[in-house]
Amino acid sequence: GALSEWPTEDPLDDLVALAEAEPDAVLRVAALRGCLRMMALGSTRGAKERVALYERCLALAKNDDEKKIVVEGLGAIGDVEAVPLLESCLKDKALADLAKAALDKLKTTGLKADASHNAGEAAKAFDGDPATRWTSGAPMKEGMWFVLDLGFPREVSRVILDSAGSGNDYPRSYEVYVSNDKMNPGVAVAKGEGKSARVDIAFKPVVGRFVRIVQTG
């Protein structure tokens, strides 16, 4: 009715509760679609709260079309809070492709970085533009570090450092750490020496959120 056509998200919580309590299938579907329409309007709610609402809607959805609307909405949140629910959708054949596309997008949009030097430009290291790069802006010395935040724990087995835009800026020696604690990286998963502008570092797969590269030369 009028509540499901409300022009703002103000009655969203009430409408979700109504959809959950409604015994009539037709009215339940109308309420659910109203919820999904409101959530697509844009929201001032935090990502965690929005994901929780989508999870409730997913439980209410009874057919693939409704479920797909929920998954598309989850993907539009653009926050790693949506990852667990999207991963659960991979088990449903009808939703797997949509969920995978949303997760793949999050793997790039969710990246962040920090560095011991010139941290403000750290994101240039993975912006997809070969004309830009991160540079420490200082002479190379032992202890310099760069941390890539993957947004959520993932399996990592390879790191490629490419300084082709400035061929001599490769690390003379390095250590790589993968962990779930940015400040406590644990034991190095790889150590070695750089020999050229492209340093290809492979190691046994390990799961973690933060990838830390330390210049030790």
Side-chain angles (χ1 to χ4, degrees), residues 1-19 26-42 45 53-54 57 60 66 69-70:
L3 192 60
S4 65
E5 296 297 326
W6 206 268
T8 70
E9 66 164 359
D10 293 342
L12 179 55
D13 295 296
D14 292 335
L15 192 57
V16 173
L18 180 63
V26 174
L27 293 178
R28 177 193 57 77
V29 170
L32 173 61
R33 290 186 175 274
C35 293
L36 296 173
R37 183 190 61 78
M38 285 182 189
M39 285 192 282
L41 293 175
R45 300 167 188 252
L53 284 168
Y54 273 114
C57 288
L60 287 166
E66 292 171 0
I69 294 173
V70 176

Side-chain angles (χ1 to χ4, degrees), residues 116-131:
S116 59
H117 293 67
N118 199 20
E121 295 194 356
K124 288 184 178 180
F126 55 87
D127 64 1
D129 184 353

Side-chain angles (χ1 to χ4, degrees), residues 14-129:
D14 292 335
L15 192 57
V16 173
L18 180 63
E20 290 173 330
E22 179 55 60
D24 185 279
V26 174
L27 293 178
R28 177 193 57 77
V29 170
L32 173 61
R33 290 186 175 274
C35 293
L36 296 173
R37 183 190 61 78
M38 285 182 189
M39 285 192 282
L41 293 175
S43 177
T44 58
R45 300 167 188 252
K48 188 172 185 177
E49 184 180 359
R50 294 176 69 194
V51 170
L53 284 168
Y54 273 114
E55 186 170 16
R56 292 169 68 183
C57 288
L58 189 61
L60 287 166
K62 300 301 182 184
N63 60 56
D64 290 342
D65 287 340
E66 292 171 0
K67 292 177 182 178
K68 287 178 180 179
I69 294 173
V70 176
V71 174
E72 287 174 349
L74 271 172
I77 290 176
D79 192 280
V80 295
E81 287 286 350
V83 169
L85 189 54
L86 284 170
E87 288 181 335
S88 72
C89 293
L90 293 174
K91 302 172 185 177
D92 187 325
K93 290 183 179 180
L95 306 178
D97 288 344
L98 272 178
K100 184 179 183 302
L103 285 166
D104 287 345
K105 186 177 180 181
L106 273 176
K107 288 179 181 179
T108 54
T109 59
L111 296 178
K112 298 178 183 178
D114 195 6
S116 59
H117 293 67
N118 199 20
E121 295 194 356
K124 288 184 178 180
F126 55 87
D127 64 1
D129 184 353

